[in-house]
């Protein structure tokens, strides 16, 4: 609820309001609309949606949560530099005495001081400047780049380009000069000294010089062992610029995921491509090949050894862990060889024994197999059924069949005795006959009971007396005694209402006559009677 009204609501109105809010949250009722016709999210908590009392909000709104005083132009506006608004023809009163502009005085004039100001010469009147005032917000006042013209940076670029061009021209002239000197010396002397051979390295053309300059982008300056990080050394960036980035190999949005933070792509971006043609198959390819698997096995061995009680830690002492792993592999190979020798010593080595007979090598046998015209096996090559790892054909409790070999009425049982209790003892054919006889007897009893049932005879409703006995047909009530009994009943009820009228010595009579019982019935109040309030 986004209303700011704090008027008093009754309990019923408050309950209806809560039900409406629940219906809006469940989507059963339309959302509330603010002053601008926008829907208000029903899940917004009340402490955010309720407007302060001093805003006097008549309709529900979230305007108090918005920055309604903000102006998007506060941080973007700046002074129009060098803009002029009016050019006067003659000097005006109150204008600058030096240049004649109305927007400043002679003290703030930025023009060169004239020998005779415009006030006296009335010539060369300067135009009025454009005066602007801005109400900048917090960010606009502290924006150091506000009003900066990015086009001015072109002059900086031009200056650096001119410097690079001059440097390139100077190096080219120096190189040509050295080549000319070398050619002159070569014509005068036939022998070439070692110094001339060293100078041959300087004989590079302009294209090679430019290429060496372009290769400098691959250098990465790295500081090593100094206060700032070390002596400056050059580290080559080994990535070839012609290589395609891994995230550009497959532009399908459903392809392998690329993590820009770690620059990793675990899955293969081109799983259907020919593995002989693609050079990248995902980071997982490197994790399951080469030294990565050896390092993984080393870690697993360190963990298992630590769990078994050895003082080994892969990060704390990696050399110790690697040495122990090598010793472990040597010992494991020795144990394998010892086990192999023991098995061969006990059972022999089939590889070193005499050659097998030719009949066995060629697959010849005396077993007869019959085939039909279609080539199907008829007799002699029965296929053996495969067995599982569980025990089969295990008979318990004198049963001759396994559990689950019989099914009846959605229950499994034994086929030998037709029992559905798994741990029961086998009773054989006698148990089957007894079970069938019991079933037949039960069915006969049910049929006999259904046949013997008859419709119940309705009993006559007996008329009961007021004190619980049967009312005899010849019962007659004495009217005088009934009248006296009614008077006594009225007196008794008065005593019940006012206990002060009850006597100290109370006589009790257990003998109740028919007239007294009838009087009690007549005076008794029936709470289910709609006319009970009109009896007395």
């Amino acid at each position: 609820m986004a209303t700011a009204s704090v008027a008093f609501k009754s309990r019923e109105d408050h309950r209806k309001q809560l039900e409406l809010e629940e219906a809006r949250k469940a989507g059963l009722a339309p959302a509330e609309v603010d002053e601008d016709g926008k829907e208000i999210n029903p899940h917004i908590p009340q402490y955010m949606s309720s407007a302060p009392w001093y805003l006097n909000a008549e309709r529900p709104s979230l305007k108090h949560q918005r920055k309604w005083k903000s102006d998007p132009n506060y941080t973007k506006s700046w002074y129009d530099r060098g803009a002029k608004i009016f050019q006067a023809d003659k000097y005006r009163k109150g204008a600058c005495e030096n240049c004649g502009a109305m927007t400043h005085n002679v003290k703030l004039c930025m023009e060169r001081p004239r020998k005779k100001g415009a006030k006296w010469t009335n010539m060369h009147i300067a135009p009025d400047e454009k005066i602007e005032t801005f109400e900048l917000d917090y960010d606009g006042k502290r924006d150091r780049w506000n009003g900066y013209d990015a086009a001015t940076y072109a002059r900086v670029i031009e200056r650096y380009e001119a410097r690079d061009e001059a440097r390139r021209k100077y190096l080219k002239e120096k190189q040509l000069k050295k080549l000319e000197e070398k050619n002159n010396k070569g014509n005068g002397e036939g022998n070439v000294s070692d110094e001339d051979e060293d100078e041959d390295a300087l004989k590079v053309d302009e294209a090679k010089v430019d290429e060496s300059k372009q290769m400098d982008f691959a250098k990465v300056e790295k500081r090593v062992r100094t206060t700032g990080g070390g002596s400056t050394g050059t580290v080559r960036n080994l990535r070839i610029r012609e290589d395609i980035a891994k995230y550009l190999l497959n532009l399908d949005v459903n392809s392998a995921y690329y993590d820009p933070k770690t620059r990793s792509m675990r899955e293969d971006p081109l799983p259907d491509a020919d593995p002989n043609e693609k050079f990248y198959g995902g980071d997982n390819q490197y994790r399951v090949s080469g030294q990565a698997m050896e390092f993984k096995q080393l870690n697993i061995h360190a963990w298992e050894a630590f769990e078994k009680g050895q003082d080994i830690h892969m990060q704390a002492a990696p050399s110790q862990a690697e040495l122990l792993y090598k010793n472990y592999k040597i010992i494991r190979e020795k144990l394998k060889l010892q086990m192999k020798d023991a098995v061969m010593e006990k059972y022999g080595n089939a590889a070193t024994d005499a050659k097998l007979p030719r009949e066995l090598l060629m697959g010849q046998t005396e077993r007869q197999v019959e085939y039909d015209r279609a080539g199907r096996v008829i007799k002699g090559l029965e296929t053996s059924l495969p067995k599982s790892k569980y025990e089969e054909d295990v008979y318990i409790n004198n049963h001759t069949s396994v559990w689950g070999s019989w099914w009846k009425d959605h229950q499994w049982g034994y086929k030998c005795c037709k029992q559905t209790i798994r741990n029961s003892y086998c009773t054989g054919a006698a148990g089957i006959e007894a079970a069938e006889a019991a079933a037949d007897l039960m069915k006969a009893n049910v049929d006999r009971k259904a046949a013997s049932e008859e419709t119940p005879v309705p009993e006559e409703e007996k008329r009961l007396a007021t004190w619980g006995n049967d009312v005899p047909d010849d019962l007659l009530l004495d009217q005088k005694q009934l009248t006296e009994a009614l008077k006594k009943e009225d007196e008794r009820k008065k005593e019940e209402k006012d206990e002060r009228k009850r006597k100290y010595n109370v006589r009790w009579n257990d003998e109740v006559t028919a007239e007294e019982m009838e009087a009690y019935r007549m005076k008794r109040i029936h709470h289910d009677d709609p006319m009970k309030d009109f009896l007395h």
Side-chain angles (χ1 to χ4, degrees), residues 80 110 148 219 224 482 493 521:
D80 192 1
M110 299 298 294
Y148 174 74
K219 292 183 179 180
V224 184
L482 182 60
K493 286 192 174 185
R521 184 189 63 79

Side-chain angles (χ1 to χ4, degrees), residues 40-62:
I40 299 175
N41 192 342
H43 298 283
I44 296 178
Q46 188 177 9
Y47 73 91
M48 293 177 61
S49 59
S50 299
W53 59 270
Y54 50 81
L55 292 182
N56 296 325
E58 297 179 357
R59 293 190 58 189
S61 174
L62 292 176

Side-chain angles (χ1 to χ4, degrees), residues 255-268:
S255 63
Y257 173 72
Y258 174 75
D259 186 11
K261 185 174 182 181
T262 58
R263 299 180 183 179
S264 62
M265 181 182 287
R266 298 191 175 184
E267 298 179 3
D268 188 1

Side-chain angles (χ1 to χ4, degrees), residues 129-165:
E129 294 92 352
K130 184 178 180 180
I131 305 299
E132 296 178 291
T133 57
F134 301 106
E135 294 181 2
L136 299 177
D137 57 355
Y138 183 86
D139 295 331
K141 291 178 182 178
R142 292 157 180 81
D143 188 4
R144 57 190 298 184
W145 295 100
N146 195 2
Y148 174 74
D149 187 8
T152 58
Y153 190 70
R155 289 178 289 179
V156 180
I157 298 175
E158 291 175 359
R159 185 169 67 251
Y160 277 91
E161 288 180 351
R163 187 191 68 176
D164 294 341
E165 183 67 24

Side-chain angles (χ1 to χ4, degrees), residues 134-334:
F134 301 106
E135 294 181 2
L136 299 177
D137 57 355
Y138 183 86
D139 295 331
K141 291 178 182 178
R142 292 157 180 81
D143 188 4
R144 57 190 298 184
W145 295 100
N146 195 2
Y148 174 74
D149 187 8
T152 58
Y153 190 70
R155 289 178 289 179
V156 180
I157 298 175
E158 291 175 359
R159 185 169 67 251
Y160 277 91
E161 288 180 351
R163 187 191 68 176
D164 294 341
E165 183 67 24
R167 181 173 178 269
R168 201 178 301 112
K169 186 177 181 181
Y170 170 75
L171 292 174
K172 187 175 182 180
E173 292 176 355
K174 187 177 179 181
Q175 180 184 357
L176 292 174
K177 186 176 179 181
K178 287 185 179 181
L179 291 175
E180 289 177 359
E181 292 177 356
K182 181 182 178 182
N183 292 332
N184 294 333
K185 289 182 180 181
N187 294 332
E189 300 177 2
N191 298 328
V192 180
S193 60
D194 296 338
E195 295 180 357
D196 296 338
E197 292 180 358
D198 296 338
E199 289 180 357
D200 289 342
L202 299 175
K203 192 176 182 179
V204 288
D205 56 352
E206 182 182 0
K208 290 185 178 181
V209 172
D210 294 338
E211 184 180 355
S212 64
K213 288 179 174 295
Q214 293 176 3
M215 290 297 291
D216 289 339
F217 73 90
K219 292 183 179 180
V220 179
E221 299 297 332
K222 185 177 180 183
R223 304 182 63 85
V224 184
R225 294 181 182 174
T226 61
T227 55
S231 60
T232 304
T234 303
V235 180
R236 282 284 177 179
N237 187 359
L238 301 179
R239 188 174 74 84
I240 303 175
R241 294 292 168 172
E242 286 77 10
D243 290 345
I244 301 176
K246 61 179 73 174
Y247 53 84
L248 296 179
L249 294 175
N250 191 351
L251 300 180
D252 187 6
V253 294
N254 296 324
S255 63
Y257 173 72
Y258 174 75
D259 186 11
K261 185 174 182 181
T262 58
R263 299 180 183 179
S264 62
M265 181 182 287
R266 298 191 175 184
E267 298 179 3
D268 188 1
L270 299 171
D272 300 330
D274 187 5
N276 298 325
E277 296 180 358
K278 60 183 179 182
F279 65 95
Y280 178 75
D283 295 342
N284 288 338
Q285 181 182 6
Y286 305 116
R287 296 189 178 195
V288 296
S289 61
Q291 296 181 350
M293 292 300 296
E294 297 179 4
F295 185 72
K296 184 179 179 181
Q297 295 294 333
L298 178 59
N299 278 325
I300 294 174
H301 172 262
W303 296 337
E304 292 178 352
F306 181 78
E307 290 179 355
K308 293 178 181 178
Q310 291 192 15
D311 189 8
I312 180 175
H313 197 280
M314 184 60 195
Q315 283 72 31
S319 301
Q320 178 190 4
E322 188 173 1
L323 181 60
L324 290 175
Y325 182 58
K326 288 182 179 179
N327 296 336
Y328 164 74
K329 290 195 293 184
I330 294 173
I331 296 172
R332 184 179 60 182
E333 292 297 331
K334 289 182 179 179

Side-chain angles (χ1 to χ4, degrees), residues 368-384:
Q368 183 181 1
V369 182
E370 296 181 7
Y371 300 90
D372 59 358
R373 290 177 177 269
R376 292 186 293 266
V377 177
I378 300 175
K379 182 181 179 183
L381 194 63
E382 292 80 6
T383 58
S384 60

